[in-house]
Amino acid sequence: MATPTTDTAPLAPGVHVFDSDGITQRYHVHGTGPVCLAHPGGPGIFWEYLRMPALEQHLTMVYVEALGTGESGRLPTHPNGYTRERYSLALQRIIENLGVPEVYLLGHSHGAFVTAHHAIHRPERLAGIVLYEGAPVTGPEHGAEAARRVQEFAAANADRPELAEVLAVFAAMQDISTDEQTVAVARGILPSYLADYWADEQRWAPLRESIRANYISGLDADGTPDLIDDRADLPNLTVPALVIVGRHDIICGPRWASELHRLIPDSQLLVLEHSGHMGHLEEPGRFADAVRKFVLSQER
């Protein structure tokens, strides 16, 4: 395991740890170029799955180890209290610790919801954002669309004997309450998160086994759901935005990416035709090229 560095060289390659409002915050630096923070999904999924070596050739990637996850600290209300506002505050502390005037912010899945919140409420030090597999809302409307997409996935894979196990994991998601259950669910549903897991299972099985996670409830500190509806705020967004989605994503699919693109002024949209929820792994070249061009266009 890499030895954490001190905050005297906050952008040196490697692992960094600093005190963020009394809570341990870790992040990982790789690559060179303009600084881009990457916030993982879940909430609760460990950051490693989000490594983007192709982007590290052009950007200084700062991979956030989100509060409550991995070796970063826990809130006193753990596993509750990890709202977008709390994650946004943590991002702001990282940006301040890095000591650079502006950064790019890339959020995947739940991280895209956090990124949108940060851009709405703390845009001052953002050069641009990448909303990667996000949506403008959560709650019943989002859940109904996800259920419809899961049904499409099931119909397309009806001849697969492994399908029943994946669908059983979806049914068990409501009962998660431990780290072990969170890992089991994240691994169990992975086939549905890729455009065609079983066509190249040898490639994807190691990823499936490598997934680690901590249980984060998704509830506020008082136990209420942290529901999201950014539709009224996104048209006022002033930060340049790139929206990325996989054509076959079942959780935050093309419907939501198109809506984000329509709502955010002058945003760009990339649809990865051969990807599900993991386009940075399924189509890494096209994904990295789009992000690189987006950043270069802002730098010019």
Side-chain angles (χ1 to χ4, degrees), residues 77 80-81 217-226:
T77 54
N80 298 341
S217 70
L219 303 176
D220 204 339
D222 62 3
T224 59
D226 184 29

Side-chain angles (χ1 to χ4, degrees), residues 40-49 64 66 69 182 186 211-214 216:
I45 305 299
F46 284 27
W47 72 277
E48 289 91 345
Y49 84 94
V64 177
T69 305
T182 304
I211 293 174
R212 298 184 297 154
N214 290 129
I216 303 293

Side-chain angles (χ1 to χ4, degrees), residues 57-124:
Q57 299 176 30
H58 308 282
L59 303 175
T60 300
M61 296 299 298
V62 178
Y63 298 99
V64 177
E65 198 161 339
L67 296 183
T69 305
E71 298 300 320
S72 282
R74 273 50 171 167
L75 298 179
T77 54
H78 184 87
N80 298 341
Y82 296 94
T83 62
R84 289 198 302 167
E85 172 59 21
R86 189 61 189 84
Y87 282 128
S88 174
L89 178 60
L91 283 174
Q92 189 68 13
R93 296 293 179 258
I94 295 174
I95 294 169
E96 293 167 355
N97 185 70
L98 295 178
V100 292
E102 287 187 322
V103 302
Y104 293 87
L105 182 55
L106 183 156
H108 176 240
S109 194
H110 175 261
F113 289 98
V114 175
T115 295
H117 181 90
H118 194 82
I120 290 167
H121 298 283
R122 295 181 173 92
E124 295 80 11

Side-chain angles (χ1 to χ4, degrees), residues 120-239:
I120 290 167
H121 298 283
R122 295 181 173 92
E124 295 80 11
R125 296 179 69 172
L126 295 182
I129 60 171
V130 180
L131 301 179
Y132 170 33
E133 309 295 357
V137 296
T138 59
E141 186 179 358
H142 185 271
E145 174 67 6
R148 185 185 70 81
R149 298 280 286 182
V150 170
Q151 290 176 351
E152 290 180 349
F153 165 79
N157 293 276
D159 60 338
R160 293 282 183 183
E162 306 94 338
L163 175 64
E165 182 180 351
V166 175
L167 297 180
V169 174
F170 272 110
M173 289 181 70
Q174 300 300 319
D175 299 323
I176 297 175
S177 61
T178 68
D179 293 348
E180 293 75 17
Q181 290 172 329
T182 304
V183 171
V185 165
R187 292 178 179 177
I189 64 175
L190 184 68
S192 69
Y193 274 46
L194 298 167
D196 198 345
Y197 175 89
W198 289 299
D200 197 358
E201 188 169 4
Q202 186 174 2
R203 175 188 178 188
W204 298 120
L207 169 66
R208 193 178 193 183
E209 290 303 312
S210 72
I211 293 174
R212 298 184 297 154
N214 290 129
Y215 172 62
I216 303 293
S217 70
L219 303 176
D220 204 339
D222 62 3
T224 59
D226 184 29
L227 295 179
I228 294 167
D229 189 342
D230 290 333
R231 285 167 167 156
D233 293 317
L234 289 173
N236 300 317
L237 201 64
T238 59
V239 178

Side-chain angles (χ1 to χ4, degrees), residues 2-6 9-16 27-32 51 56 60-62:
T3 302
T5 66
T6 67
L11 279 171
V15 187
H16 295 259
Y27 63 90
H28 307 256
V29 177
H30 297 274
T32 184
R51 276 293 300 271
E56 293 166 13
T60 300
M61 296 299 298
V62 178

